[in-house]
Amino acid sequence: MPRVRAVCSVLALAVLAAACWSTPAGTVQPRQGRAGLQLAGTAGGRQLAVSDGAPRLVVGDCDPDPVGDADVCVIADDIDGQLVVVVFENPDVLRAPATVPIVDPGCGGACDRVSDGAVVDLQLGTGPRVRARGGSVVLETVQPFAHYAGELRLELPSGAASGTFDVVPRSD
């Protein structure tokens, strides 16, 4: 019995220490319970289910286009471990709070100047990126290069997906 009390005391102390541990100044933390990327739907006849609490956020030129443009990419794994990439091709339209329509203006890989809506691509596995034809992004938080949070609804050429995101740069 004394051993159980000692273990319980150590666990309680660890919980209290973790609760009191402060994060470095200026560190942005995602909201409790909705951190990461949650996405569900179908794309190209394939079921899509993503629930990744620590996706990778890349801001800058994060797609393979040789253009060297600006993007915001959320890189995650679906529940089967396959790569899922959500690319915002024109991140200057991402401002909060706002609801931004998703558009497909036929801009190819040079979409940074599109200002009447968000241009969003979705990549599954090693397949090609697919441009969303419609939908919306409801932005709750945008701190460029640091924190993006909101809801996403994608109308794809062959399917649809929706979900939430609350992403910050990972420490690795």
Side-chain angles (χ1 to χ4, degrees):
M1 191 62 101
R3 184 177 218 180
V4 172
R5 283 188 188 146
V7 169
C8 289
S9 296
V10 168
L11 287 174
L13 195 57
V15 168
L16 286 172
C20 296
W21 196 269
S22 62
T23 57
T27 301
V28 178
Q29 296 294 317
R31 291 183 311 255
Q32 298 263 340
R34 286 185 56 190
L37 175 66
Q38 290 75 40
L39 196 61
T42 60
R46 176 183 161 197
Q47 289 288 91
L48 173 65
V50 177
S51 184
D52 190 333
R56 186 166 177 229
L57 172 65
V58 178
V59 181
D61 187 13
C62 53
D63 60 15
D65 289 337
V67 179
D69 60 350
D71 308 301
V72 168
C73 295
V74 180
I75 304 167
D77 291 326
D78 70 6
I79 61 171
D80 292 327
Q82 295 292 315
L83 173 73
V84 175
V85 182
V86 178
V87 182
F88 294 94
E89 292 281 353
N90 58 337
D92 288 344
V93 302
L94 302 178
R95 300 208 169 122
T99 299
V100 179
I102 294 176
V103 297
D104 181 8
C107 54
C111 300
D112 286 353
R113 294 188 184 140
V114 174
S115 61
D116 60 339
V119 179
V120 181
D121 292 343
L122 179 67
Q123 179 180 349
L124 303 177
T126 58
R129 291 191 176 172
V130 176
R131 174 116 339 130
R133 292 184 173 169
S136 63
V137 182
V138 179
L139 297 156
E140 298 168 7
T141 302
V142 175
Q143 295 174 345
F145 305 100
H147 189 194
Y148 297 85
E151 298 176 11
L152 180 65
R153 187 177 55 81
L154 302 174
E155 296 170 10
L156 303 165
S158 180
S162 62
T164 62
F165 59 96
D166 191 342
V167 293
V168 297
R170 292 188 337 196
S171 59
D172 57 281

